[in-house]
Amino acid sequence: MPISRRYSTTLIVASVAIFGTLYACSTRRGPNQSLAGSDAASKVYVPPGSYDEFYSFLSGGYSGQVAVYGLPSGRLLKVIPVFSQFAEDGYGYNEETKPLFQTTYGFVPWDDSHHPELSMTDGVPDGRWLFINANNTPRIARIDLTRFETDEIIQIPNSAGGHASPFTTPDSKYVVSATRFSVPVPNTDVAIDSYKKNFKGTLSFITADQPGKMDVAFQILMPGYNYDLGHAGKGPSDGWFFFTSYNTEEANTKLEENASQNDKDFVAAVNYKRAEECVAQGKAKPAAAEYYHNWVDEGSRQAKSEKKTGVKMINPMDCPGLVYYLPTPKSPHGVDVDPTGEYIVAGGKLATVIPVHSFTKMQKAIADKAFDKEIDGIPVLKYDAVVAGEVQKPGLGPLHTEFDGKGYAYTSLFISSEVVKWKLGTWEVVDRIKTYYSIGHLMIPGGDSKRPAGKYLLALNKITKDRYLPTGPEMAQSAQLIDISGDKMKLLLDFPTIGEPHYAQAIPASVIKDKQVKYYKLASNTNPWATRSESEGGITRNGKRVDIKMIAIRSHFAPDNLEGVQVGDTVVFHVTNIEQDWDILHGFAVLGMNTSELILQPGETRSLTWIPKSPGVFPFYCTDFCSALHQEMQGYVRVSPAGSPVKLMANVSKKTQAQLATPAGKAR
Ligand code: RUQ
Ligand code: CUA
């Protein structure tokens, strides 16, 4: 049997065995047979030298980063490091970016990023920024989309598991973060089984419309449920925010069972304009909190950290009209607001229907006081008074919904591995398509905004199994591009992703393509260690600290011979790439260093700390193949024993040498 046939049979057998029982209506087709239509290839083909129509931003999940893919091609354009150190370019290793990881828990160089969120103007993605949350040590990052770089990270206090985050209001005045895990607020040493008494949730509103100035505007103290996802209202529901919650049972152990008891949990509807009023009226109480705000200074490109204390905490009891609960079946996960702002769709993981709430009905129910009961100052509205309709028999395990702007909604179904398309208003299912396998989020460019692009849908699948060649027990997670331009959904493309892609966002390339920064202006570089020309380079000693200022340009470093460094010194190389040309990077690495390399964008200064442990001569070199003479781009640093009389020497211009070298002894 030819190897490919044997291989494909094995896979078919494996896939049927694995998925046959799990996915009742799973296809029996093998992975090597095309599931895509015959015109699929031409629909995703972007010829060499041509550009993709969309930039898409996929969360890197437990990689902590964001991956940028072109759509429809599925080509990886860039990995943007955000919450994890990134040795590829020195992010989080070099001195300039390390402060971004500062938290009250110390230096936290990893996280689990879930939801990229584009900034918006009037409810439409505007291409200024991308926000993304850190789930484990709750934080929100801002990425500047003129540079595709992380510029700011704020820690969220009184929170644990920043999952319902960082969804934005239609004007990006706020992004939110709600705690997935309720904890004692403030966090103190209590018995875990005192959960019901001592554990609370918080909903945080973070000001986001001014770069470098993110802050916690206020927090809302909530019952000790798990808050899972959120979305802002828009149009008529502008001014409201909706959050799903589960574990309304308030279980603290065996949640699998104990948090699946109630038939309905809640969507919390928060009137944040009301919150602003209550804050203005002094109804928010100062609450203990400590958190870090870290941001990149524009001129120096150095990150700074500030520790903040205290937040304004609003208790719904003190601010009537702030929060209402909408009963929602069952353990809801996603909550999504349609483009008109009227419908609020919840994905009940364990529900047999997809419930859709009506904002108009909700307003009426509030006016009529159609309440079931009140929980900690939060009225629970009657389900029948708020529900607009239910999508019947959608499939199993509805999670997330996006919209095409043409009156249809698309919901992912994790358990039955499919996307279901249904009509807003009539709630009838009009189409469904299989996904491979176990889809989590789905994304339509602009599909959570007022103006969806409505052409493609990206399925973000959790389990890959047989979709690609085996790569050991671990397979790259998988995205699938689906054409939604016609009545029937059509599968176009599979492509592997970096880390686990939870959510994604996409924007037409035309919105950001021409705004890209091509290099940093050397004249505006205010990094105190910047070296603007060869003659400014040199070496200085201050006690056991040695600073080396150096330039990189095609195809040399200056200085490139350094002496006078001693074992046990803390040597900091400050390298400035003095190129003023797009995409001309240089790198820097020294033999035996205990950190990552530096990658330097044109016009940028980056610093690397090195503590030499033994005497010798150590080469350094450029790590980015920058020019024909890249292999010549190298130098040496001489390390002498501690106390050695070798004097400081940097082979820059004679004049600079004379100014810089301190006479620490006689050169040998
Ligand atoms: S989640 S698979 Cu972390 Cu957004 Cu729904
Ligand atoms: Cu600079 Cu290679």
Side-chain angles (χ1 to χ4, degrees):
M1 199 189 302
I3 193 89
S4 61
R5 284 267 316 276
R6 221 174 66 211
Y7 174 67
S8 103
T9 312
T10 313
L11 280 182
I12 291 168
V13 170
S15 78
V16 169
I18 293 161
F19 292 105
T21 46
L22 206 50
Y23 308 108
C25 41
S26 142
T27 177
R28 301 275 152 160
R29 251 186 303 208
N32 290 353
Q33 282 170 265
S34 177
L35 297 158
S38 56
D39 57 346
S42 64
K43 289 206 166 132
V44 300
Y45 184 63
V46 177
S50 299
Y51 297 138
D52 277 289
E53 187 180 348
F54 293 97
Y55 288 91
S56 69
F57 303 92
L58 276 60
S59 82
Y62 44 74
S63 84
Q65 322 293 43
V66 166
V68 187
Y69 291 85
L71 295 182
S73 73
R75 297 184 295 191
L76 176 64
L77 302 175
K78 185 179 175 104
V79 174
I80 307 173
V82 187
F83 291 115
S84 296
Q85 283 175 309
F86 195 53
E88 185 177 319
D89 69 356
Y91 176 85
Y93 291 99
N94 62 47
E95 299 305 319
E96 282 74 16
T97 52
K98 268 156 71 174
L100 285 171
F101 291 143
Q102 197 55 43
T103 75
T104 52
Y105 306 98
F107 182 78
V108 178
W110 166 86
D111 220 298
D112 177 19
S113 61
H114 282 218
H115 306 118
E117 176 85 346
L118 289 160
S119 59
M120 295 208 225
T121 300
D122 194 23
V124 178
D126 56 21
R128 285 182 291 169
W129 311 302
L130 182 79
F131 299 98
I132 187 159
N133 65 323
N135 198 38
N136 186 54
T137 303
R139 289 172 282 177
I140 295 175
R142 177 202 309 274
I143 294 161
D144 183 300
L145 289 182
T146 64
R147 294 178 279 104
F148 285 58
E149 289 180 339
T150 302
D151 263 3
E152 192 170 5
I153 296 182
I154 187 166
Q155 186 183 0
I156 314 298
N158 296 322
S159 178
H163 192 259
S165 180
F167 305 101
T168 174
T169 56
D171 50 4
S172 290
K173 178 172 183 190
Y174 301 115
V175 292
V176 300
S177 178
T179 192
R180 174 163 154 220
F181 310 111
S182 281
V183 284
V185 176
N187 208 336
T188 46
D189 169 22
V190 297
I192 298 169
D193 68 5
S194 71
Y195 188 103
K196 285 196 168 109
K197 184 168 147 237
N198 287 323
F199 287 47
K200 293 284 178 200
T202 53
L203 311 178
S204 304
F205 283 72
I206 313 299
T207 49
D209 51 1
Q210 291 198 47
K213 302 223 166 81
M214 287 172 104
D215 204 356
V216 182
F218 52 86
Q219 296 190 306
I220 303 171
L221 192 67
M222 299 289 286
Y225 308 158
N226 290 36
Y227 296 87
D228 211 8
L229 283 151
H231 261 111
K234 46 173 92 85
S237 54
D238 189 8
W240 288 77
F241 225 102
F242 303 93
F243 296 92
T244 46
S245 63
Y246 63 102
N247 191 22
T248 53
E249 297 86 350
E250 299 186 80
N252 60 277
T253 179
K254 301 196 177 85
L255 263 66
E256 188 180 5
E257 182 186 335
N258 295 333
S260 305
Q261 300 298 313
N262 295 343
D263 256 0
K264 293 196 176 66
D265 297 277
F266 299 123
V267 167
V270 176
N271 182 341
Y272 62 85
K273 297 261 152 88
R274 177 79 187 120
E276 290 172 342
E277 279 170 23
C278 288
V279 169
Q281 292 162 2
K283 288 178 180 158
K285 303 218 169 83
E290 292 194 330
Y291 59 104
Y292 271 88
H293 171 235
N294 314 313
W295 75 101
V296 173
D297 171 70
E298 199 187 322
S300 65
R301 319 258 336 110
Q302 285 174 312
K304 320 257 174 199
S305 279
E306 61 176 336
K307 189 171 175 184
K308 303 217 166 199
T309 50
V311 286
K312 298 187 180 98
M313 184 73 78
I314 315 175
N315 189 322
M317 298 228 220
D318 303 331
C319 182
L322 174 63
V323 192
Y324 298 90
Y325 275 139
L326 317 179
T328 303
K330 173 176 187 169
S331 299
H333 183 58
V335 57
D336 300 284
V337 180
D338 87 307
T340 70
E342 165 64 9
Y343 296 122
I344 301 128
V345 182
K349 302 186 294 268
L350 305 175
T352 52
V353 298
I354 301 171
V356 184
H357 297 303
S358 153
F359 184 72
T360 311
K361 286 184 81 176
M362 184 188 101
Q363 293 290 76
K364 182 158 189 306
I366 292 170
D368 295 350
K369 297 205 163 26
F371 303 151
D372 269 338
K373 57 179 168 181
E374 201 177 287
I375 301 169
D376 297 353
I378 302 170
V380 179
L381 298 168
K382 288 190 184 307
Y383 181 69
D384 290 335
V386 293
V387 78
E390 292 173 339
V391 180
Q392 300 294 327
K393 299 208 174 81
L396 300 177
L399 291 183
H400 297 283
T401 300
E402 295 256 300
F403 308 90
D404 65 3
K406 297 176 200 147
Y408 294 97
Y410 301 73
T411 301
S412 57
L413 294 126
F414 177 83
I415 299 173
S416 53
S417 280
E418 59 188 327
V419 173
V420 65
K421 174 180 177 182
W422 50 274
K423 196 165 165 53
L424 286 156
T426 69
W427 326 120
E428 60 188 319
V429 170
V430 297
D431 193 22
R432 56 178 75 235
I433 190 168
K434 300 300 298 177
T435 59
Y436 303 86
Y437 301 94
S438 305
I439 180 173
H441 277 272
L442 43 63
M443 182 275 290
I444 293 171
D448 65 340
S449 78
K450 269 189 176 171
R451 222 193 300 137
K455 193 168 177 184
Y456 300 110
L457 181 151
L458 196 64
L460 300 154
N461 303 315
K462 301 294 191 192
I463 296 171
T464 307
K465 298 283 184 192
D466 55 13
R467 297 304 290 175
Y468 308 122
L469 285 172
T471 50
E474 188 187 7
M475 300 289 288
Q477 265 118 349
S478 190
Q480 291 185 299
L481 190 70
I482 294 167
D483 178 357
I484 56 164
S485 59
D487 289 344
K488 289 295 228 180
M489 291 180 274
K490 286 187 200 140
L491 179 59
L492 298 176
L493 184 72
D494 278 8
F495 62 90
T497 65
I498 308 258
E500 180 186 354
H502 286 259
Y503 191 37
Q505 294 260 279
I507 193 164
S510 57
V511 179
I512 52 178
K513 178 167 79 58
D514 299 327
K515 296 187 188 146
Q516 294 305 301
V517 169
K518 303 225 161 103
Y519 60 88
Y520 296 107
K521 290 206 181 75
L522 208 49
S524 319
N525 182 338
T526 58
N527 189 310
W529 295 105
T531 313
R532 282 176 201 77
S533 66
E534 290 194 19
S535 63
E536 282 181 28
I539 182 166
T540 50
R541 172 181 288 283
N542 193 343
K544 288 185 83 69
R545 174 169 165 144
V546 174
D547 287 288
I548 295 167
K549 288 178 60 181
M550 188 183 276
I551 59 98
I553 191 166
R554 282 163 287 179
S555 303
H556 63 273
F557 295 103
D560 70 354
N561 277 205
L562 297 143
E563 298 194 356
V565 169
Q566 299 179 7
V567 171
D569 283 344
T570 297
V571 182
V572 190
F573 293 93
H574 309 276
V575 190
T576 302
N577 177 355
I578 63 170
E579 305 274 0
Q580 295 286 271
D581 210 348
W582 190 22
D583 195 31
I584 299 297
L585 308 183
H586 295 286
F588 179 85
V590 194
L591 170 66
M593 67 190 198
N594 298 102
T595 178
S596 83
E597 65 166 345
L598 299 175
I599 283 286
L600 304 134
Q601 323 245 356
E604 186 178 61
T605 305
R606 290 291 191 231
S607 306
L608 179 134
T609 300
W610 178 56
I611 302 176
K613 302 198 176 53
S614 55
V617 176
F618 296 77
F620 54 84
Y621 76 106
C622 171
T623 52
D624 185 307
F625 206 109
C626 53
S627 55
L629 297 177
H630 156 82
Q631 291 294 84
E632 280 70 17
M633 197 163 168
Q634 65 161 63
Y636 290 104
V637 51
R638 174 181 174 188
V639 177
S640 306
S644 154
V646 174
K647 76 176 195 183
L648 288 182
M649 190 282 287
N651 65 335
V652 286
S653 71
K654 288 271 180 296
K655 184 171 142 249
T656 325
Q657 266 185 56
Q659 285 166 357
L660 287 168
T662 45
K666 225 171 108 203
R668 285 192 285 189

